Amino acid sequence: MRIVFMGTPEFSVPTLMEIVGQGHDVVACYTQPPRKAGRGMEERKSAVHQAAETLGIPVRCPQSLKSEEEHAALAELAPDAAVVVAYGLMLPQAVLDIPVHGCLNLHASLLPRWRGAAPINRAIMAGDAETGVEVMRMEAGLDTGPVYMAEKLAIGQDMTAGELHDRLSVLGADLMVRALAALPRGGLVPTPQAEEGVTYARKLDKAETRIDWTRPAREVHDHVRGLSPFPGAWCEVEISGRSERVKVLRSALDESASGEPGTLLSAGDELLVACGSGAVRLVQLQRAGKKPMPAAEFQRGAQLSPGTRLS
């Protein structure tokens, strides 16, 4: 089939690679324009942009898909279907109507739970025990279309957002190629989403990344792993007489310990911090300008003492 692929981040790349590997003719990749990033603020192409160039696929980076010119350019490609994976732009109805078999979206949640921008992070931060990937037929609304196919995945108690991201990206790629195989023979049956249980995975905000030690240990643990590795949950620690922002990238529950929230209960190879109820062990941390490190290595440099307050 003639496919137009629309995606931007690393999560989208396995699906693009699988579609190409299955022999589909990807006639163009639509992705977000290059953005300035890094210390030098140089423009960087998206992960999909880079992958498409490697594969020799034409790349388009429109700022918007609302103009008639963009509609005409897409129509000229005569796609049988469009595959959309974390593209980052809303598709107007005029675009949705162009592909013969419509636009298929891969979404990283079990809809209608966690519609929106950050379903992987939000599922972990909410303490969900299960999530998945779904292929749905796109509508003009935000992740409201009927579902064609789904695969579930258990979320381990200590699984981070990064680990879940990688598992779902591979699972989703396999699901999408199966959906494309069934599409031309009429093998996809759309199932409307349930009207109950709708939640929205709003975009992550820097203001919510700071750790609140007054919350129960399980919530603190879910907060840490839901923001790991990026943007990272953090707290302020006094090291060598200076307050320093430190990211906590991995933690472990210890609900039997207790103390004043934010207080370091033990300081050795393991760093145990009291929460509103219970405590968490800090497993992996990252100081500003340094690489992530195990708690024992962090402690050799920080030399924290029991009773230290993490603000």
Side-chain angles (χ1 to χ4, degrees), residues 115-135:
R115 294 174 178 172
I120 293 174
N121 306 89
R122 296 297 176 189
I124 292 181
M125 293 169 74
D128 290 3
E130 182 181 62
T131 187
V133 285
E134 294 188 340
V135 174

Side-chain angles (χ1 to χ4, degrees), residues 3 6 92 117 122 138 140 142 149 154 166 191 225 240 299-300:
I3 303 292
M6 297 180 171
R122 296 297 176 189
M138 294 189 72
L142 179 63
M149 300 176 72
D166 293 348
T191 301
R225 63 197 187 96
S240 301
Q299 175 63 345
R300 283 196 292 271

Side-chain angles (χ1 to χ4, degrees), residues 7-304:
T8 297
E10 193 66 42
F11 182 85
S12 315
V13 174
T15 301
L16 173 60
M17 302 300 288
E18 279 292 310
I19 291 173
V20 173
Q22 291 296 315
H24 293 287
D25 182 15
V26 180
V27 295
C29 278
Y30 280 69
T31 189
Q32 291 283 299
R35 308 290 190 198
K36 292 183 178 180
R39 292 183 179 179
M41 293 302 289
E42 296 180 356
E43 286 196 342
R44 294 183 181 177
K45 297 176 181 178
S46 74
V48 166
H49 194 145
Q50 295 177 54
E53 288 187 335
T54 300
L55 294 167
I57 300 171
V59 178
R60 297 185 176 182
C61 304
Q63 295 285 352
S64 169
L65 292 174
K66 295 180 180 180
S67 70
E68 292 185 2
E69 290 78 10
E70 287 297 337
H71 302 166
L74 179 59
E76 286 181 4
L77 296 172
D80 294 310
V83 172
V84 185
V85 186
Y87 178 31
L89 286 182
M90 293 290 289
L91 306 189
Q93 191 62 49
V95 168
L96 297 175
D97 291 339
I98 290 172
V100 176
H101 297 290
C103 299
L104 277 62
N105 177 235
L106 178 68
H107 187 73
S109 80
L110 299 176
L111 296 164
R113 186 163 178 78
W114 302 127
R115 294 174 178 172
I120 293 174
N121 306 89
R122 296 297 176 189
I124 292 181
M125 293 169 74
D128 290 3
E130 182 181 62
T131 187
V133 285
E134 294 188 340
V135 174
M136 68 175 183
R137 187 180 70 205
M138 294 189 72
E139 296 180 344
L142 179 63
D143 300 329
T144 58
V147 175
Y148 286 129
M149 300 176 72
E151 285 283 357
K152 296 181 179 181
L153 181 68
I155 302 176
Q157 179 175 285
D158 297 320
M159 182 179 284
T160 65
E163 292 166 341
L164 182 57
H165 168 283
D166 293 348
R167 292 280 301 277
L168 291 178
S169 66
V170 174
L171 188 64
D174 177 70
L175 188 68
M176 181 59 78
V177 295
R178 285 192 278 137
L180 289 176
L183 184 61
R185 64 173 186 265
L188 295 182
V189 179
T191 301
Q193 294 184 34
E195 296 183 2
E196 298 181 351
V198 176
T199 58
Y200 288 94
R202 70 184 187 280
K203 186 177 179 180
L204 297 175
D205 191 315
K206 289 183 179 180
E208 63 183 316
T209 57
R210 187 168 189 158
I211 299 171
D212 180 359
W213 300 109
T214 66
R215 296 166 65 182
R218 184 167 295 277
E219 292 183 12
V220 172
H221 177 57
D222 292 341
H223 182 75
V224 166
R225 63 197 187 96
L227 294 174
S228 177
F230 183 83
W234 62 277
C235 61
E236 289 185 347
V237 185
E238 187 171 313
I239 302 175
S240 301
R242 186 179 65 179
S243 182
E244 184 175 324
R245 180 180 293 196
V246 175
K247 288 185 179 181
V248 180
L249 300 178
R250 286 188 184 274
S251 59
L253 281 172
D254 188 337
E255 295 179 286
S256 63
S258 64
E260 184 69 21
T263 301
L264 194 61
L265 301 178
S266 66
D269 288 347
E270 293 187 342
L271 301 175
L272 183 65
V273 183
C275 300
S277 60
V280 293
R281 297 186 184 278
L282 309 186
V283 177
Q284 186 183 51
L285 304 98
Q286 183 176 18
R287 297 176 67 174
K290 298 184 181 295
K291 295 181 179 180
M293 64 186 76
E297 182 180 344
F298 170 85
Q299 175 63 345
R300 283 196 292 271
Q303 294 294 303
L304 303 182

